[in-house]
């Protein structure tokens, strides 16, 4: 299995809703990442987990809450989002957080906040 | 954050033409990667470069890691319609304070059949 699987593919949520994005990989990768991508822009790093511990938080608002329950799973919990949070949310993984490896990306979750 | 300057911003070419795009930085990078992203999908790794001066090919794609470690280019030969998409350079900067990939701004490629 050489894939990163993200669910759901599309999500529409209201500003008072609570929802979660899920990411799964079975490649034995020990680093996992959340990126946010707005239209016509490059991916922007949000969080990095290394060996199931939060390694980097790029000053992301607390309405985004990451969780890494085990080495294969990465969740992003969403609460009280704003319309400007609408974007493509990408999950990625790599062998570890060293600079030796490229990242494998999932197909993303297209989030719309109404 | 670390800036990667990618050019051109967009290209519109005829099928069969060759394409070249590049990425530069004011700082040294340890790794250069080239990704392609199709609409509604995540980026897919095309080529990874790990040593200064390294020249690597993947089919019709060729990429080089600049000698100064501050730049990289990607060439696509004999373009075809399925080459359409956004191409991103990405890299790991030399300093290890931020151990995650930084992306360039992207080159949007359109190919006229």
């Amino acid at each position: 299995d050489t894939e990163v699987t993200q669910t759901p593919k599309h999500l529409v949520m209201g500003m008072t809703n609570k929802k979660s994005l899920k990411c799964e990989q079975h490649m034995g990768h020990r680093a996992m990442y959340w990126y946010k991508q707005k239209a016509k822009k490059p991916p922007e790093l949000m969080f990095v987990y290394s060996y199931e511990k939060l390694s980097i938080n790029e000053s992301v608002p607390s309405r985004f809450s990451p969780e890494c329950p085990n080495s294969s799973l990465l969740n992003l919990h969403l609460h009280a989002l704003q319309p400007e949070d609408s974007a493509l949310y990408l999950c990625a993984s790599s062998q570890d957080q060293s600079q030796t490896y490229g990242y494998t990306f999932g197909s993303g979750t297209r989030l719309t906040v109404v | 954050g670390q800036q990667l300057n990618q050019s051109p911003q967009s290209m519109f070419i005829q099928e069969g033409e060759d394409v070249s795009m590049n990425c530069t930085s004011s700082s040294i990078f340890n790794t250069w990667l080239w990704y392609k992203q199709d609409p509604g999908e995540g980026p897919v790794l095309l080529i990874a470069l790990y040593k200064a001066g390294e020249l690597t090919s993947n089919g019709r794609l060729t990429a080089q890691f600049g000698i100064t470690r501050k730049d990289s280019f990607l060439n696509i030969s004999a373009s075809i319609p399925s080459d359409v998409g956004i191409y991103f350079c990405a890299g790991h900067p030399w300093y290890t304070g931020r151990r995650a990939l930084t992306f360039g701004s992207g080159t949007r490629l359109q190919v006229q059949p």
Side-chain angles (χ1 to χ4, degrees), chain B residues 4-32:
Chain B
L4 283 181
N5 302 306
Q6 188 172 346
S7 64
Q9 191 173 9
S10 64
M11 302 181 75
F12 189 96
I13 62 172
Q14 297 290 318
E15 183 177 358
E17 289 184 6
D18 297 344
V19 170
S20 185
M21 59 193 78
N22 68 78
C23 222
T24 61
S25 171
S26 57
S27 299
I28 291 171
F29 272 63
N30 280 344
T31 309
W32 286 97

Side-chain angles (χ1 to χ4, degrees), chain B residues 1-2 19 31 33 38 48 58-59 62-63 65 78 89 91 99:
Chain B
Q2 179 60 49
V19 170
T31 309
L33 305 168
D38 292 327
N58 178 6
T62 302
F65 193 140
C89 63
R99 293 184 297 146

Side-chain angles (χ1 to χ4, degrees), chain A residues 37 42 97 99-100 103 107, chain B residues 30-31 35 37 50 99 101:
Chain A
Q37 187 176 27
Q97 209 183 339
Q99 300 186 352
T100 312
Y103 298 179
S107 297
Chain B
N30 280 344
T31 309
Y35 285 87
Q37 186 174 25
Y50 298 109
R99 293 184 297 146
L101 275 183

Side-chain angles (χ1 to χ4, degrees), chain A residues 25 28-33 47-56 66-75 94-97:
Chain A
Q25 57 87 15
H29 289 177
R30 302 314 299 269
M32 296 185 77
Y33 311 82
F47 301 104
V48 179
Y49 272 83
S50 178
Y51 289 85
E52 295 142 63
K53 291 194 182 339
L54 185 63
S55 171
I56 296 177
E67 179 196 21
C68 189
N70 60 57
S71 60
S72 300
L73 281 176
L74 186 66
N75 299 321
S94 64
Q95 192 96 355
D96 58 35
Q97 209 183 339

